[in-house]
Structure formats: structure tokens, C-alpha cells
Amino acid sequence: EPEVTQTPSHQVTQMGQEVILRCVPISNHLYFYWYRQILGQKVEFLVSFYNNEISEKSEIFDDQFSVERPDGSNFTLKIRSTKLEDSAMYFCASSWGLAGGPRTDTQYFGPGTRLTVL
Amino acid sequence: GQQLNQSPQSMFIQEGEDVSMNCTSSSIFNTWLWYKQDPGEGPVLLIALYKAGELTSNGRLTAQFGITRKDSFLNISASIPSDVGIYFCAGRTGGSEKLVFGKGMKLTVNP
């Protein structure tokens, strides 16, 4: 069964450093998402991406965050200058839909990248 | 912003027992989803609901989309040890891409 994959599984970085988290969504999906989950808390939406642009973002997704689909398979989340409070699990998700048409709401999640900022 | 109130926060049950959990919201949702998360892993979709009143089963799991579109419940029947984990409800409102998650229900099943 197709699945969302994420690399690395665990990333440790120093405060102020840039990190790039990588995701390979399910191949025929058109909508891509990033969520994060601080330890012991609920999953929170960061951003959605469709047709090579951000379609929605939360207040968490400030200027230090950016997303990119650099090729036909990868979807990345960049944190420009990490802070201690960025430590969390970051989940990529994808969902299917027809370009410009209806889509399913079912979002499939990857296994996550645990980001630790020291 | 939208919030989902998920209850209970945790349950300790014996193997073989049934368990129910629910989510409520002050907002109307167009979609309700139920996910299970094991430690250190991503949420795994259990059941997706798209219409008010919809009742859907997946093996021992049954979920319903409330008539008011502001609530949903998930039942697990005849629990087994591998049902252990955290169960999240999630919803999507019209006009928004994002899923709003509940705080989760931690299930412990004693063999």
C-alpha cells in the first residue's frame, strides 16, 4: 500500500541553525501538508500546499518557515533559524484530488521527523 | 480558532471490553476523521466520515458523524492488547484545508 515517507527520522540541531525536513508524499496525491506535535500535545496544522503554492497556513507558520516542492516527488519544510520551542515531531501528510476539482479529505500521514533543538 | 473537545482523556480497560470516545465542537465540520497514533509514529487513519448521520465500521471499530455536524464518536468493541495507543479525532470545516485535531484519548488495555 502506498505511504508517505519522511527523512530523517530524527534531527538534532543547534539553536539558530537551519534545518530541512523531507517528505515523499503518496505519488498520485496533489495536496500536501505539514503538521507538528509538541511532545504530549495534540497535532497542529502548519501549512497546506497545492499547485506549487501555499494554499493555507497557520499562525505558527511564520517567516522562519518555508515549504518547497523541488521536484516531482519531494516536499520539504525548511526552518531558517531554529529555536528551542521548535522541538517537536513534524508530520507530512498528503491527500488525493483532481486538479481544480473535488478532492477527498482523507489525509495520510508519514511517520514523522523528531526535531530536537539544543 | 476551532477547537475539538475530546473525551475521555484516557481509559484503562480489560481485554475484551468495549470502549467509546467522542469529540465535540462549537463549529460545524464537513469531515470527521479518527486516527490512532502509536508512540514515536505518525497518525494512522482508522475511519473517515463525510456526511452528517453517517455510521461507518472498520472491523471492530465503528464511528458516527453527528447529525448536528458538531460531534462524532468512535467505538471499539472487544478490545485486544494491540488497541493500545492514542486515538485522535480530527475535523475539517468548509473552506479550510487544515485538519483540527482533538487532544487525544490514551487507551490502555490490560490482558
Side-chain angles (χ1 to χ4, degrees):
Chain A
E1 187 173 317
E3 58 185 20
V4 177
T5 60
Q6 291 184 243
T7 54
S9 57
H10 191 187
Q11 174 92 48
V12 181
T13 189
Q14 295 291 327
M15 189 170 58
Q17 295 295 305
E18 175 183 286
V19 294
I20 297 177
L21 309 183
R22 303 179 192 280
C23 167
V24 178
I26 294 173
S27 63
N28 63 343
H29 285 187
L30 299 178
Y31 296 81
F32 314 117
Y33 314 85
W34 284 101
Y35 291 80
R36 79 171 186 192
Q37 185 180 33
I38 295 171
L39 185 64
Q41 298 187 22
K42 65 179 180 180
V43 178
E44 300 175 291
F45 171 81
L46 292 177
V47 66
S48 61
F49 190 87
Y50 167 71
N51 200 25
N52 284 320
E53 60 183 27
I54 291 174
S55 49
E56 187 174 350
K57 61 183 181 180
S58 72
E59 60 276 8
I60 302 169
F61 194 88
D62 60 23
D63 291 344
Q64 69 160 345
F65 291 93
S66 62
V67 289
E68 191 178 32
R69 186 154 166 84
D71 53 43
S73 59
N74 290 284
F75 179 51
T76 61
L77 174 69
K78 182 192 290 186
I79 309 176
R80 227 175 308 276
S81 176
T82 50
K83 299 182 266 210
L84 294 177
E85 54 265 37
D86 293 328
S87 295
M89 283 287 285
Y90 287 80
F91 295 107
C92 174
S94 68
S95 65
W96 180 82
L98 298 174
R103 64 180 176 91
T104 73
D105 292 319
T106 306
Q107 296 181 21
Y108 295 89
F109 284 75
T113 293
R114 178 174 298 282
L115 177 65
T116 302
V117 182
L118 303 175
Chain B
Q2 299 115 358
Q3 287 201 14
L4 293 184
N5 299 308
Q6 186 171 354
S7 63
Q9 293 184 341
S10 62
M11 286 195 74
F12 295 82
I13 61 173
Q14 294 297 124
E15 184 176 357
E17 289 183 346
D18 299 345
V19 60
S20 289
M21 63 196 84
N22 70 81
C23 273
T24 60
S25 170
S26 56
S27 304
I28 288 175
F29 283 82
N30 289 351
T31 304
W32 284 95
L33 303 167
W34 285 93
Y35 290 88
K36 178 175 182 255
Q37 185 179 32
D38 292 328
E41 298 185 15
V44 174
L45 181 70
L46 299 174
I47 292 181
L49 302 160
Y50 298 105
K51 291 194 300 188
E54 180 180 355
L55 182 71
T56 297
S57 293
N58 178 10
R60 294 178 294 107
L61 278 60
T62 302
Q64 185 159 31
F65 191 140
I67 289 290
T68 66
R69 295 166 65 194
K70 293 183 178 181
D71 64 305
S72 176
F73 73 76
L74 174 71
N75 287 341
I76 305 173
S77 63
S79 59
I80 58 178
S82 61
D83 290 335
V84 165
I86 300 178
Y87 291 80
F88 288 97
C89 61
R92 192 182 75 85
T93 60
S96 175
E97 303 283 335
K98 69 181 180 185
L99 290 181
V100 178
F101 278 77
K103 291 186 176 181
M105 197 283 287
K106 184 175 181 180
L107 179 64
T108 302
V109 179
N110 295 316

